[in-house]
Amino acid sequence: QVQLVESGGGSVQAGGSLTLSCVASEGTMNRYFMGWFREAPGKEREGVAVIDTLGLTVYADSVEGRFTISKDNAKNTLYLQMNSLEPEDTGMYYCASGPFGKLWVGYYISSGDFGTWGQGTQVTVSS
């Protein structure tokens, strides 16, 4: 029943910024934690950031301090603000929703914890 649609991807030079959006079906973000993942050619899907129903966030070490995950429940929209982008950030970015509502201390982002995925939006960072 949950549907997710990403947008906002594009090409940007290193050091630039980009904001991704993910529109979820009504009520999704009030019931489940949400996450952003990315996948580069030849590499496995990597967790980027997660936010739960109460606003608790978890970031991958590689993006912490540069990326910010947020959401607007009224708009049913999840965001990923990406600053100081690097070529290593290049990849297809996916949003996803988990089957639970609350994260816990020490949570490690894993794609296996998410049941519904969007179609992805491409992010390309040039040096």
Side-chain angles (χ1 to χ4, degrees):
Q1 186 174 13
V2 175
Q3 294 186 4
L4 306 170
V5 180
E6 304 98 330
S7 64
S11 298
V12 64
Q13 294 185 15
S17 299
L18 202 61
T19 300
L20 306 183
S21 299
C22 173
V23 178
S25 51
E26 181 69 33
T28 298
M29 289 181 290
N30 287 323
R31 295 191 294 270
Y32 310 115
F33 51 72
M34 306 289 295
W36 286 99
F37 292 78
R38 64 189 181 188
E39 187 172 340
K43 298 183 179 180
E44 62 184 15
R45 190 164 296 184
E46 174 190 19
V48 176
V50 177
I51 184 168
D52 72 3
T53 56
L54 298 180
L56 176 68
T57 58
V58 176
Y59 295 92
D61 291 342
S62 60
V63 307
E64 189 163 9
R66 298 187 298 119
F67 291 11
T68 301
I69 186 171
S70 62
K71 62 178 182 175
D72 186 332
N73 289 348
K75 296 181 179 180
N76 297 304
T77 304
L78 177 74
Y79 303 97
L80 183 66
Q81 176 64 49
M82 304 183 291
N83 299 321
S84 301
L85 283 163
E86 305 168 352
E88 294 74 24
D89 296 317
T90 293
M92 183 70 73
Y93 282 68
Y94 301 88
C95 68
S97 62
F100 305 104
K102 188 176 182 297
L103 298 174
W104 51 92
V105 176
Y107 175 77
Y108 184 84
I109 305 175
S110 174
S111 61
D113 297 325
F114 296 79
T116 302
W117 299 82
Q119 82 287 353
T121 184
Q122 179 67 36
V123 172
T124 302
V125 184
S126 301
S127 61

